[in-house]
Amino acid sequence: MRADRLIRILLLLQNQERLTTKELAQELEVTERTIHRDMEALSVAGIPVVARRGKYGGWELIENYRTRLTGLKKEEIMSLFLSPSTQLLTDLGYLQDWTEAREKLMASIPKNLHSEVKDINSRLHIDTSAWRPSAEVIEAFELLQEAIWDLHKIEIEYERADGTVVTRIVEPLGLVAKANTWYLVAASEGEIRSYRASRVITAVKLDEQFVRPDDFHLTNYWQESKKKFIRSLPSYEAQVEVSSDILARLKFTGRFVQIADLRNQEGSWISVKLNFDTEEEAKSFIIGFGNQIRVIEPPQLKEKVIQMAQSVIDFYHHDRLHPLGP
């Protein structure tokens, strides 16, 4: 409803001070033209909303204007009691604060909602952790948080994915949790980059401070960074036929499995398209199913699977003829 959208615009501007037309349109999932019409409606209604031009421009409310539209709907109140990741709250040192804040919030809501709010945790639970949690240790996590809030540059020793270690002076802008893995987002040499926090070997907070970019928004940066990363991922596609006996298992392998054709072929063989990161990964995966997966395309993959299978046979044949001593 338009009335709800206008209230949301008012609250967004009150809480975030200034937003562009594009940012508002994305947040509310409407067109930029709709936002312009909504701003005109707010202005006609006497709401002091103004547009600032320039690089850091956008829509804002005149200074000191505050709305009294603070009433929360039942569904909005209930959403505030959904349990976040206790592990991430613990990492940040906020678990106790969150627990106490929730108790204060419970005490402030109407009593007729208490039973429904308490019941939400019996019906909905959000668990962002993996089945086998990582044992990553982030030695400098507390220092990273301090530097982000204090706007202090830090010098870090960072281990890259290939094992090499580099030393950099960075301007820490934020922390992002992807599942249960933390990433430091920081500016270095004029470029904003992401660093896996567990690979920060050492970190020293410097006396020198930095100016945080006015146009930097952590959520927007991460979303764009994630899209670029996904586009850059390698991809290797294989067309195969699988035994119907393993079709259910394929769906739970943790890989992207696209079913191309569900019609039985040659008695229980089903056409399936598999997507992998690399050819090496495809070979290892396919040979693991033995005679229950038949490679169709590409032909060179079939030859390499045959070579791999032959090398396994040769290895065990040699091992049988020349067993290792006790």
Side-chain angles (χ1 to χ4, degrees):
M1 294 177 61
R2 191 185 188 194
D4 289 338
R5 190 173 66 246
L6 293 177
I7 291 173
R8 281 199 65 196
I9 290 174
L10 193 54
L11 293 174
L12 284 168
L13 292 178
Q14 182 172 293
N15 293 332
Q16 301 190 38
E17 296 185 1
R18 184 179 300 170
L19 290 168
T20 65
T21 300
K22 182 178 180 180
E23 289 170 337
L24 284 168
Q26 290 175 342
E27 178 69 27
L28 299 171
E29 298 181 348
V30 295
T31 65
E32 294 185 22
R33 181 177 297 180
T34 297
I35 294 298
H36 283 290
R37 288 199 296 264
D38 288 345
M39 289 306 181
E40 183 178 352
L42 288 172
S43 181
V44 170
I47 305 299
V49 59
V50 294
R52 303 293 184 191
R53 300 188 180 278
K55 182 178 179 181
Y56 303 115
W59 294 98
E60 64 179 38
L61 299 168
I62 63 171
E63 190 176 358
N64 298 325
Y65 177 84
R66 307 291 292 177
T67 176
R68 293 184 179 180
L69 295 173
T70 55
L72 293 173
K73 300 176 184 177
K74 181 185 75 173
E75 291 79 8
E76 293 170 339
I77 293 173
M78 292 178 70
S79 71
L80 296 176
F81 283 88
L82 286 171
S83 296
S85 169
T86 54
Q87 179 58 57
L88 298 182
L89 287 172
T90 300
D91 290 343
L92 294 168
Y94 288 158
L95 182 59
Q96 184 61 35
D97 296 309
W98 172 79
T99 302
E100 294 176 1
R102 192 167 68 162
E103 291 300 321
K104 292 175 181 177
L105 183 59
M106 176 67 79
S108 68
I109 66 174
K111 286 191 175 182
N112 64 311
L113 292 179
H114 279 206
S115 61
E116 292 185 70
V117 166
K118 286 181 178 179
D119 199 38
I120 194 170
N121 289 323
S122 298
R123 299 173 183 267
L124 295 173
H125 178 69
I126 299 172
D127 183 1
T128 60
S129 63
W131 289 111
R132 296 180 179 177
S134 170
E136 286 189 343
V137 176
I138 308 174
E139 300 288 352
F141 199 68
E142 187 174 344
L143 185 144
L144 296 179
Q145 291 184 75
E146 290 178 3
I148 287 169
W149 289 107
D150 297 342
L151 298 177
H152 275 266
K153 293 184 179 182
I154 57 176
E155 183 178 81
I156 62 172
E157 278 188 313
Y158 184 73
E159 182 181 4
R160 291 171 169 166
D162 61 4
T164 60
V165 176
V166 296
T167 301
R168 286 206 177 111
I169 293 177
V170 302
E171 301 171 356
L173 300 173
L175 286 164
V176 175
K178 175 66 173 172
N180 270 9
T181 301
W182 285 101
Y183 293 87
L184 169 69
V185 177
S188 177
E189 300 176 353
E191 183 179 352
I192 298 177
R193 303 173 182 173
S194 302
Y195 303 86
R196 189 161 179 156
S198 61
R199 292 186 186 152
V200 177
I201 302 171
T202 62
V204 178
K205 188 163 70 169
L206 306 178
D207 292 333
E208 184 181 359
Q209 290 189 291
F210 66 93
V211 178
R212 186 179 177 86
D214 289 334
D215 58 347
F216 175 76
H217 190 282
L218 184 61
T219 301
N220 292 344
Y221 162 80
W222 184 258
Q223 294 298 337
E224 288 301 315
S225 177
K226 188 169 65 172
K227 289 177 184 177
K228 290 179 182 177
F229 176 75
I230 292 173
R231 286 196 297 266
S232 70
L233 288 176
S235 179
Y236 186 86
E237 187 175 281
Q239 185 69 41
V240 300
E241 290 179 351
V242 304
S243 167
S244 58
D245 294 337
I246 67 166
L247 188 59
R249 287 172 58 194
L250 281 181
K251 295 179 180 178
F252 291 96
T253 58
R255 304 181 189 278
F256 295 104
V257 179
Q258 179 183 351
I259 307 300
D261 192 348
L262 290 177
R263 291 177 298 176
N264 286 352
Q265 301 170 15
E266 298 181 17
S268 300
W269 285 94
I270 301 169
S271 179
V272 176
K273 186 180 295 181
L274 302 176
N275 292 313
F276 302 91
D277 289 342
T278 64
E279 181 186 69
E280 193 65 32
E281 186 183 61
K283 288 193 302 181
S284 300
F285 178 83
I286 291 169
I287 202 170
F289 281 92
N291 63 354
Q292 294 179 306
I293 294 184
R294 176 191 297 157
V295 177
I296 305 301
E297 294 285 346
Q300 61 268 29
L301 176 61
K302 180 187 292 187
E303 292 302 317
K304 291 184 178 181
V305 169
I306 293 172
Q307 293 171 12
M308 193 177 203
Q310 188 61 55
S311 68
V312 172
I313 294 171
D314 293 344
F315 174 79
Y316 280 103
H317 179 69
H318 180 273
D319 193 47
R320 186 176 61 181
L321 296 177
H322 306 282
L324 296 175

